Amino acid sequence: MKTYRVEEIHGEAVVAVHSTEAKTPFEAAEKALGQKVTLRAGADRWVRVVDLTERPRPRPVRLRPAIFEFKAIGRRK
């Protein structure tokens, strides 16, 4: 499991911050919000997920970003 910081954002303001452990950024966002998520696609209310898991320094991984953007879909559980 990896550690993620999940930030709920309205416009440009962070309104809530959660810390969670999950296998994927999608799972981390869904755990923190209690609802399904999809890719942000320019939404005004969105979620930023930051991978806090330590990575080895010698070889940076270029294909896996450490920051992900989603938006909630559906109703909260």
Side-chain angles (χ1 to χ4, degrees):
M1 294 277 221
K2 293 183 175 186
T3 304
Y4 295 95
R5 182 178 65 234
V6 180
E7 301 170 337
E8 294 181 52
I9 302 173
H10 293 189
E12 295 299 318
V14 176
V15 295
V17 177
H18 312 275
S19 180
T20 187
E21 289 188 356
K23 292 181 183 177
T24 66
F26 268 103
E27 184 181 317
E30 290 177 351
K31 270 176 115 174
L33 296 178
Q35 64 188 110
K36 295 288 183 185
V37 299
T38 188
L39 298 176
R40 178 183 175 196
D44 189 46
R45 298 178 77 171
W46 57 288
V47 180
R48 177 171 40 220
V49 179
V50 181
D51 184 349
L52 299 177
T53 306
E54 299 253 342
R55 293 191 178 133
R57 288 279 179 190
R59 277 183 55 197
V61 178
R62 293 177 189 239
L63 300 177
R64 292 184 51 204
I67 299 174
F68 307 87
E69 296 179 355
F70 304 106
K71 66 179 177 180
I73 56 175
R75 296 174 39 186
R76 287 188 180 241
K77 294 180 185 176

